[in-house]
Amino acid sequence: MSDWRTPEAGRLIAAADEVVGYDLYLDLVAGLVPAAKRTTFPLGQETERCAYALEQAGKGRRVALISSGDAGIYAMAALVEELVADGQVSDAASRVPVTVAPGISALQAAAARVGAPLGHDFCTISLSDLLTPWSAIESRVRAAAEGDFVIAFYNPVSRRRRTQLADARAILLQHRPADTPVMLASSLGRPEENVRYRRLDALQVDEVDMLTVVLVGSSNSRLAQLGEGPRMFTPRGYARKIDGDLA
Amino acid sequence: MSDWRTPEAGRLIAAADEVVGYDLYLDLVAGLVPAAKRTTFPLGQETERCAYALEQAGKGRRVALISSGDAGIYAMAALVEELVADGQVSDAASRVPVTVAPGISALQAAAARVGAPLGHDFCTISLSDLLTPWSAIESRVRAAAEGDFVIAFYNPVSRRRRTQLADARAILLQHRPADTPVMLASSLGRPEENVRYRRLDALQVDEVDMLTVVLVGSSNSRLAQLGEGPRMFTPRGYARKIDGDLA
C-alpha cells in the first residue's frame, strides 16, 4: 500500500520514462504512472519482463521495473542481475546502471500487523518446487525446524501444488510443540486484509491460497490474548536480562 | 536514511506528543521532532525505554518509540509486546493500542546496495550470546549451514565478543565452498557507507565491527564482476526455467 512505499521508490517511479511490470502490481502504482508509460507482462513472463526492461534502459530510457514487497526478496532484482551476469541481454543493456530500491516485504507487513513474530532469528522458505527440487526444499525445512527458526513460507500452495505445506507441517511437528502459533495473512494493507491464527497441528492447507503469508513461530514464539486481541511475538529476552550490546 | 522512511512511520512520528528512543536513533529523525518532544535513553536501557513509552501512552499521550531499521526485527516491538503480555506495566499501559510500523531492515538495505543476495531463501541469526546461550546459536548456525540458506548475521561482534563470528565461519566452511561470497556493509544510507566483499575463507573478524551487516551467500549465490563493479545475487532460477506460480 502507498503508506509503505518509500520516498526513494516513489521518486524513481515518478522519474521513469517507462514503468514495466506484472499488470496486477502496476495497478498498485496506477496513480503515479500515466497509462502511456506502462508496459505490462502477464504472470509467467518474468524473464521476458526483465530482459525488456534492461533493453529499453540500454536505449537510454529511464525504466522502473516494479515488484511488490521488496524487489530483492523473491522478486525481479535477482533475475535482472542474472541476465546481465550471464550475457543474456545486449551489450548496451548489460552496461545499464541498476538501482535496487528496498521495500517492505510481505513477511514484514504480516509481522507488523500481529505484533513482533520476527523479533528473533527467522528464515524465509519458498515452497514452490517449480524451480527447486522438492528434496532440496524438504531438507531446508528440516534444517529450519532443527535450528528452531521462526519461518515465513512464501508460495505455500498453488492450484496445482497441494502437498508441500502439509509435508512441511509434518516435519515441523517433529521438532516443535503442537501448539506453536502460526499466523496466516492475506491482502495486507488492503481493505480485504485477513489475519488468522492457528496451532501448528491445526494448520489446514485448504485455508491457504497462493497469496497467503504463512508465519510459523519458533519454540519461543508466543501468542498472547491481550485487550486489543491476539498478539504474536518472539522475545529476544530483553525483559529477562538487559542486552548491552546493541539496541 | 530519510529516503527509506515510509510515509506511515513519518506520519506516526509527526503526530506523536512524545518521541522515545536511543539517542543515536533519535538523531536520525531530528528534523522531524522538536527537542522538547524527545526523551532519550542510553544503550542498554531497552526495558526501561519500552516501559516508559508504554506508561506515557497509558496516561493518554501519543508516543512514538523509535527503532532503526524495522521495529519488528531484532528491535523494540517484541519487547513492548512482552512487557504487556507479562503484566510488567500498569493496567493503563497494558491497554494501550500498539501500532507496529514496518521499515527497511539493515539486511535489506545492504542487499539492495550490492544486487540481490536475498533473491532466494535466507535467514537471519544474531551472534550475540548475551541473552542466548552460545550452544543454541551454534546449533542454529549449523542448521543454516546444512539448509544452505543465505545468512545475514546481526550483532556479529562487539568489543567483548570476538570469537563467535570466527566460529560461525568455521561451521559454514564445513558445508559450503571456500569462495562463497560474503558481503560486509556498514553505515548504510549515510555518507560514510562502506561495502566490501570477501571469500568466506578470507573473512576476518577484525574488519567487522558491531554495526557491520555480514551477509554470507548460499552455495548458489554469485559474485559477478560487471561494468559498474561487483554485484552479488542469489538466483531463484527464473533465467533457466519460467516460474508460473508467483511473480
Side-chain angles (χ1 to χ4, degrees), chain A:
Chain A
M1 66 175 188
S2 61
D3 216 19
W4 289 333
R5 188 183 307 128
T6 67
E8 178 187 38
R11 185 167 41 74
L12 291 170
I13 293 169
D17 300 313
E18 184 168 359
V19 178
V20 178
Y22 169 41
D23 37 18
L24 179 68
Y25 298 160
L26 280 199
D27 287 348
L28 298 177
V29 294
L32 289 179
V33 184
K37 288 190 173 183
R38 290 182 226 165
T39 305
T40 63
F41 284 79
L43 201 62
Q45 296 195 4
E46 283 72 34
T47 303
E48 293 80 353
R49 197 189 305 165
C50 292
Y52 175 84
L54 282 165
E55 296 297 347
Q56 290 296 97
K59 292 173 188 161
R61 293 171 68 81
R62 286 166 301 183
V63 178
L65 175 65
I66 305 295
S67 291
S68 72
D70 186 316
I73 297 181
Y74 298 115
M76 296 299 107
L79 181 50
V80 165
E81 302 290 347
E82 188 178 9
L83 291 173
V84 172
D86 288 350
Q88 295 192 42
V89 290
S90 69
D91 282 357
S94 72
R95 284 192 297 269
V96 165
V98 174
T99 300
V100 179
I104 305 298
S105 189
L107 84 164
Q108 298 171 281
R113 280 295 190 250
V114 301
L118 306 179
H120 200 47
D121 302 341
F122 67 91
C123 70
T124 69
I125 301 177
S126 168
L127 290 180
S128 171
D129 60 355
L130 293 179
L131 297 162
T132 307
W134 173 247
S135 60
I137 299 172
E138 194 176 31
S139 88
R140 204 161 263 169
V141 173
R142 199 171 302 281
E146 286 165 358
D148 198 24
F149 286 94
V150 175
I151 305 174
F153 286 117
Y154 279 68
N155 306 317
V157 303
S158 76
R159 277 182 294 275
R160 283 159 296 135
R161 292 187 300 100
R162 309 303 303 175
T163 59
Q164 288 83 357
L165 184 59
D167 289 351
R169 181 191 56 200
I171 294 169
L172 291 172
L173 280 170
Q174 295 167 13
H175 294 272
R176 53 190 82 172
D179 65 351
T180 298
V182 177
M183 177 205 146
L184 308 176
S186 39
S187 302
L188 289 158
R190 292 177 216 158
E192 63 274 28
E193 176 171 299
N194 183 359
V195 173
R196 290 149 288 159
Y197 300 90
R198 296 290 179 268
R199 290 163 50 109
L200 179 58
D201 62 353
L203 174 63
Q204 298 298 328
V205 172
D206 285 345
E207 62 180 338
V208 175
D209 69 16
M210 57 190 277
L211 295 176
T212 305
V213 177
V214 179
L215 262 184
V216 180
S218 74
S219 67
N220 285 317
S221 299
R222 295 168 54 189
L223 186 66
Q225 297 299 335
L226 304 183
E228 50 176 333
R231 302 290 283 180
M232 180 172 166
F233 63 95
T234 307
R236 196 174 156 206
Y238 279 109
R240 274 159 276 159
K241 178 163 175 283
I242 300 297
D243 184 350
D245 238 33
L246 247 195

